[in-house]
């Protein structure tokens, strides 16, 4: 009984994005580790409105993604039973944002030590090495993801209705395509407004005193 309690105390929860990864990684790590999948983003901007507070430094208004509340509660329950929590979402800005949201959602529900781990391959060596060297969430990547989402909303939610009205319903105006289209249109306008002016360039060699 004492041994069982000791093992329970040492339980580490690892959260990845994919269920397939979770199964494989749990196999690599062995006893003492529980690996669960977040299935991507659990917390994000609502789809029904812009959800960007322009008056308050463009702060995003996050909510639990529809249909994901049950999964989030399960992860909170697992975290509460664990001594350590390792956030192992993908090593990119989306993965970093997922880890950031999970950290915020779990930290008030558990006394576990929450850390971030990253790896670039699903092999026993890479996974065990990552677990040995946990770190912190990269705020720069999180802010990069936030900025992308905010721009998506400011551009897309304002311009897309115009496309539906003028071109075709269902089209989406993105932050990249919209700027690129403007550059193309401005360049085309310059070409159309160009007035050709004939000129000549003359080159000559001169000799003095002959």
């Amino acid at each position: 009984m004492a041994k069982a309690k000791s093992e329970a105390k040492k339980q580490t929860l690892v959260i990845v994005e994919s269920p397939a990864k979770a199964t494989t990684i749990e196999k690599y790590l062995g006893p003492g580790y529980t690996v669960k999948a977040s299935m991507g983003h659990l917390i994000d901007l609502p789809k029904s409105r812009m959800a960007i507070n322009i008056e308050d430094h463009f702060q995003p208004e996050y909510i639990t993604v529809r249909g994901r509340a049950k999964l989030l509660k399960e992860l909170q329950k697992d975290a509460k039973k664990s001594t350590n929590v390792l956030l192992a979402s993908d090593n990119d800005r989306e993965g970093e944002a997922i880890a950031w949201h999970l950290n915020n959602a779990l930290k008030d529900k558990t006394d576990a030590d929450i850390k971030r781990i990253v790896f670039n391959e699903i092999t026993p060596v890479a996974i065990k090495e990552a677990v040995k060297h946990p770190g912190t969430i990269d705020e720069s990547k999180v802010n990069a993801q936030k900025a992308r989402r905010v721009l998506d909303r400011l551009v897309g939610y304002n311009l897309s209705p115009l496309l539906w009205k003028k071109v075709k319903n269902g089209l989406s105006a993105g932050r990249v395509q919209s700027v690129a289209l403007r550059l193309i249109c401005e360049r085309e306008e310059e070409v159309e407004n160009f007035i050709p002016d004939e000129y000549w360039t003359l080159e000559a060699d001169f000799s003095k005193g002959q």
Side-chain angles (χ1 to χ4, degrees):
M1 178 68 103
K3 185 179 178 183
K5 285 183 179 178
S6 175
E7 286 180 357
K9 286 180 182 177
K10 293 181 181 177
Q11 188 69 27
T12 297
L13 172 65
V14 181
I15 304 177
V16 297
E17 291 186 44
S18 158
K21 283 184 184 178
T23 303
T24 303
I25 291 171
E26 189 168 81
K27 215 180 297 180
Y28 291 159
L29 291 175
Y33 290 88
T34 300
V35 185
K36 296 291 182 74
S38 72
M39 309 289 288
H41 285 275
L42 292 176
I43 298 169
D44 202 358
L45 299 171
K47 292 182 179 180
S48 59
R49 54 194 173 86
M50 187 181 292
I52 304 297
N53 191 340
I54 298 173
E55 302 300 325
D56 184 20
H57 302 92
F58 299 94
Q59 286 298 320
E61 300 171 20
Y62 293 115
I63 63 165
T64 302
V65 175
R66 182 178 294 179
R68 297 297 180 88
K70 183 180 178 182
L71 176 54
L72 181 57
K73 284 183 180 178
E74 288 174 1
L75 291 176
Q76 289 171 333
K77 192 183 295 183
D78 290 331
K80 192 173 183 179
K81 295 185 291 185
S82 304
T83 308
N84 300 291
V85 176
L86 299 176
L87 305 175
S89 44
D90 293 349
N91 189 17
D92 53 26
R93 64 186 180 187
E94 289 297 324
E96 210 69 25
I98 290 171
W100 184 77
H101 284 300
L102 280 171
N103 178 66
N104 291 338
L106 299 178
K107 65 184 180 183
D108 293 331
K109 303 293 183 179
T110 178
D111 293 326
D113 187 24
I114 304 176
K115 295 288 186 182
R116 171 79 164 118
I117 63 171
V118 295
F119 43 82
N120 296 313
E121 57 183 43
I122 310 296
T123 63
V125 173
I127 300 302
K128 290 176 181 177
E129 193 65 22
V131 169
K132 284 180 187 176
H133 302 95
T136 57
I137 292 170
D138 187 337
E139 293 288 341
S140 294
K141 282 185 181 177
V142 175
N143 288 332
Q145 194 270 353
K146 278 186 186 178
R148 183 187 72 79
R149 295 291 281 140
V150 168
L151 283 172
D152 276 341
R153 289 301 173 98
L154 293 178
V155 175
Y157 277 52
N158 282 310
L159 285 183
S160 293
L162 181 63
L163 285 179
W164 304 339
K165 184 178 180 181
K166 299 291 186 181
V167 184
K168 183 183 177 184
N169 193 36
L171 292 178
S172 176
R175 71 190 187 286
V176 176
Q177 303 97 313
S178 301
V179 176
L181 180 60
R182 175 165 181 169
L183 290 172
I184 291 170
C185 291
E186 287 178 349
R187 182 59 178 161
E188 183 64 23
E189 188 177 3
E190 287 181 8
V191 171
E192 290 178 354
N193 293 336
F194 176 72
I195 300 174
D197 186 16
E198 185 175 350
Y199 67 94
W200 297 84
T201 300
L202 301 176
E203 294 183 7
D205 294 324
F206 296 92
S207 297
K208 185 179 178 183
Q210 292 186 359

